[in-house]
Amino acid sequence: MAGDIYRKMLLIRRFEEQVDNFFAKGMIHGTTHLYIGEEAVAVGACAAIEPEDYITSTHRGHGHCIAKGGDIKLMMAELMGKATGYCQGKGGSMHIADLNIGILGANGIVAGGIPIAVGAALALKMQRRKEVVLCFFGDGALAQGAFHEAANLAGLWKLPVIFICENNQYGMSLAVRKALACQDITIWGQSYGMPGIRVDGNDVEAVMEAVKEAVARARQGEGPSLVECVTYRWRGHSKSDANRYRTKEEIEQWKERCPLKRWRNKLLERNLFTEEELKAIEKAVEEEIALAIAFAQESPEPGLEILEADVYA
Amino acid sequence: MREITYKEAIREALREELLRDERVFLLGEDIGVYGGAFGVTLGLVEEFGEERIKDTPISEAAIIGAATGAALMGMRPVAEIMFSDFITLGMDQLVNQAAKIRYMFGGKAKVPLVVRTPLGSGTGAAAQHSQSLENWFVHVPGLKVVMPSNAYDAKGLLKSAIRDDNPVVFFEHKLLYNTKGLVPEEEYLIPLGQADIKRQGKHITIIATGIMVSRSLEAAHILSKEGVEVEVVDPRTLVPLDKETIINSVKKTGRALVVHEGCQRGGFGGEIVGLLCESEAFYYLDAPIWRVAGKNIPIPYNRRLESAAVPQVQDIVAAVRRLVA
């Protein structure tokens, strides 16, 4: 488990670095929103649930998908618009989904996945199932009406959904202190009939423990919870971000609190892994990434015949 | 066969589908004990319980979004939006999410939901409670759009809509709720995408939707006395549209008039005119294709002004007389 947590965070980090690299080279088009720096939130949260549970994701969704067990070959192929991608090349970065492993979709609309997560939780409750839904969203989404409507409904109907707010300090460029009238995000949970808790989002263990508690509540029929994970994104909002709204110093300070470095050090300190074993994990991740890239590059483009397919069932 | 109202026909459809498939459930504002703003769901919560007939807070985005999420998970929700004007509050969930999920995900998912909603003017409800926005949804690939004009069609179409695996927007005209029609007692379904020729005629084809179907039939009755025989085609489903029936009718009569309540500008009529001009029917036309539609204004409150804002029987009669002259 501890090693798998490290491996997954590293997989996300290296995957995103490659994506950034390919963007710069023009090998991936459109736009992308990198998860670098936030790995502990996705991995910690997904470590608290079972494979049968569900997640909804955001426009910054590669981390969530990988943490939930998404196939990085299919993800890379999708980013390159290939026919073998998760969405046959028709979705792109913000619409990756894998319903077989409970990934109900990344989402191009801020807060767009929140009502959907609540609906999925409603279905689970109506179907008398014990699975839960992790609903990821950022600090920016808290200002959207859809969050409030959905959170209210979830709290009212005691639905098995865990609201995970990835507070990475900025919407696109707007600092969270300039966006929310109430800066204590945990209070927002209380407004909607659920407990709110704040954790260090760069401490993967802390995230996992907090989400585990929330998941247990949900499975026992006690309803939703709000977990605020305080973290930071290292790169810009998207590739077009010149970072004019924050300082280099701030970014460097947060890099010191790198979630990967912290967990790696813990693994060594606790004698769970040796340096050699960690290097082996790191090498294996590099290989897995290389295979994903090769798969994506060698995959064919979709044919025009799929252009008008699957608009309707 | 018995005569029941449009509203009762819709209620029967809901009841039958709730009985038939345990995945079907209703959600919306005041649909429980209140029975729905227009009384459509009266009695259902008493029969099916609050588990399946869910009263929601005033949260259209959550209503449509929750329906989307539930549908993704295999349920078959039927959401009621109290007035179709309020769909605007749930547009992201309907247009950016429900409509697009299947395509964006590469065909792997389906969203079998129905949004039922009353549209139209004539009740003095004024601008924000009287619109006919169906063409907004006609313009969103991934949605199906249905607009029944009578009790028989309403029941058969709603049952099909609920069984359809796609998101369907089902528009019910407010002024039709208490109109009566003959509806079989035995179960029947009307497939989506099938138009209905409500009246045969040889001089001109009227393509009409919603309440304009009955107004067109009234106009046809008046015109018949003048020796003008009007064929009235009711598309019933706007998306997917039964183009063949419309085109064949216009080929037969050589004249076409589209009648709808929504504003003329950007309305469904333009879609029909374009379709006909691009089809074989163009070469059979003896007159230009016209539209009789709502004025490009918000619906006013005053009763006379409200009537003047949308096509009435006399407007249809006048247009036909000029086209056949």
Side-chain angles (χ1 to χ4, degrees), chain A residues 223-284:
Chain A
S225 306
L226 175 64
V227 181
E228 178 198 356
C229 302
V230 181
T231 183
Y232 197 81
R233 61 168 159 76
W234 294 11
R235 306 290 169 92
H237 160 73
S238 68
K239 70 172 184 183
S240 328
D241 188 339
N243 284 309
R244 285 201 284 267
Y245 50 92
R246 53 183 181 169
T247 63
K248 285 206 172 73
E249 291 74 46
E250 182 185 274
I251 301 173
E252 289 312 311
Q253 267 164 32
W254 275 92
K255 281 185 178 176
E256 302 281 301
R257 306 179 218 167
C258 173
L260 267 79
K261 221 168 45 179
R262 287 169 69 176
W263 187 242
R264 195 183 195 279
N265 287 340
K266 276 201 181 143
L267 294 178
L268 289 168
E269 279 161 24
R270 296 178 191 176
N271 290 315
L272 292 169
F273 285 86
T274 65
E275 184 61 40
E276 289 71 44
E277 284 167 334
L278 290 175
K279 286 216 159 70
I281 292 175
E282 284 149 18
K283 186 160 180 296

Side-chain angles (χ1 to χ4, degrees), chain A residues 54 78 86-88 90-92 95-99 103-129 133 145-146 149-150 152-153 156-157 306-313, chain B residues 22-25 27 51-52 54-75 89 92-93 96-99 101-110 140-144 164-167 239-240:
Chain A
Y54 295 84
E78 184 60 31
Y86 258 126
C87 308
Q88 298 185 70
K90 292 161 90 170
H95 308 114
I96 289 174
D98 189 340
L99 272 66
I103 300 175
L104 299 177
N107 209 298
I109 305 293
V110 170
I114 301 178
I116 292 174
V118 168
L122 174 63
L124 287 168
K125 185 165 182 172
M126 293 181 79
Q127 292 162 352
R128 309 271 186 276
R129 291 171 60 183
V133 184
E149 292 189 26
N152 182 49
L153 205 61
L156 192 64
W157 289 354
I306 70 161
L307 180 65
E308 296 186 72
D310 294 319
V311 178
Y312 295 100
Chain B
E22 61 182 6
R23 299 170 300 176
V24 175
F25 71 99
L27 68 167
E51 173 78 354
R52 297 186 72 199
K54 294 176 156 8
D55 269 333
T56 67
I58 305 173
S59 302
E60 283 76 10
I63 292 169
I64 297 177
T68 301
L72 258 184
M73 298 283 283
M75 301 300 284
L89 293 137
D92 174 69
Q93 290 297 319
N96 289 331
Q97 313 295 337
I101 278 173
R102 181 174 179 75
Y103 186 86
M104 291 191 301
F105 290 3
K108 289 176 310 193
K110 59 182 192 186
V140 177
L143 296 180
K144 293 194 176 179
D164 196 297
D165 282 343
N166 296 283
V239 177

